[in-house]
Amino acid sequence: MSRTVEVTVLSAENLQMNKKPVKGYTFVTVHSDAGTDAGAVTKVDSEGGSYPSWNDKVVVNVPLHARFITVEVKSKTTSSSSLTGSNSVGVARIPVSDFIGGYVPENQLHFLSYRLWDGNVKRNGVINISVRVKVSERSSCSSNSMPFAAVTGMPVAGNGSTGVVTGIPALWLNYQRNL
């Protein structure tokens, strides 16, 4: 089973190869660390150089047990239309916990920026993305019909009282032994 994650690769900043600014022809691959598919690829930016801009939306299937999404910026080595000849400019590993779980709904749009690291584990620019988990129709309908409600305790007495008991749960078995 997997989630469908929509990643919009917005732009990158200060990209370098061998301590020199990247000249152009950069693209991005996005894939999950636990996925069996090849992932997704953005269009090639030929004009941005060290500050490319893609604004390209890709969809990736992320298994439920995945821990990271890997975003890799690559630079084409040849001017051909295929993407087979390319060098890695930088990689960012994005924890799935940054946009799944927590206190926000799954379909919330997250704008994120991550440091890129080159093959020598040196800083090599920043990538800017937005991420949204696509929620299936069935689960989105059920979440709208049942709004979030926090449970704060339990009724004090069975006499219609509206009081609530709050605190740290205690183990009843230890209480009985101490009597």
Side-chain angles (χ1 to χ4, degrees):
M1 212 155 149
S2 65
R3 299 178 190 97
T4 303
V5 177
E6 192 176 85
V7 179
T8 303
V9 181
L10 300 170
S11 63
E13 305 167 16
N14 199 23
L15 298 181
Q16 299 177 11
M17 287 187 71
N18 301 324
K19 298 183 181 182
K20 296 178 185 169
V22 173
K23 300 232 188 283
Y25 298 104
T26 54
F27 62 98
V28 177
T29 62
V30 181
H31 59 88
S32 151
D33 66 335
T36 56
D37 61 347
V41 180
T42 65
K43 64 185 180 202
V44 175
D45 177 77
S46 58
E47 300 170 2
S50 291
Y51 293 85
S53 176
W54 297 279
N55 201 21
D56 202 3
K57 190 177 293 186
V58 295
V59 176
V60 180
N61 288 323
V62 179
L64 295 177
H65 62 279
R67 294 176 44 211
F68 294 95
I69 288 181
T70 302
V71 177
E72 183 174 11
V73 178
K74 295 184 176 186
S75 177
K76 285 177 48 173
T77 56
T78 61
S79 61
S80 68
S81 62
S82 73
L83 300 177
T84 55
S86 61
N87 291 330
S88 178
V89 175
V91 177
R93 291 184 68 201
I94 301 166
V96 172
S97 60
D98 281 3
F99 53 87
I100 293 178
Y103 299 104
V104 295
E106 278 196 343
N107 62 347
Q108 180 75 35
L109 182 64
H110 301 270
F111 287 95
L112 307 167
S113 296
Y114 288 91
R115 167 72 65 194
L116 290 169
W117 300 90
D118 66 8
N120 298 324
V121 194
K122 294 190 178 180
R123 296 176 181 182
N124 193 14
V126 174
I127 188 154
N128 305 305
I129 63 171
S130 68
V131 179
R132 180 190 314 258
V133 178
K134 289 179 124 183
V135 180
S136 66
E137 284 296 317
R138 185 178 56 148
S139 63
S140 66
C141 290
S142 64
S143 66
N144 289 341
S145 63
M146 210 165 142
F148 293 105
V151 177
T152 57
M154 52 189 303
V156 175
N159 60 2
S161 171
T162 58
V164 174
V165 176
T166 60
I168 300 171
L171 194 58
W172 179 254
L173 196 57
N174 288 339
Y175 177 74
Q176 285 180 329
R177 286 184 192 156
N178 293 332
L179 290 178

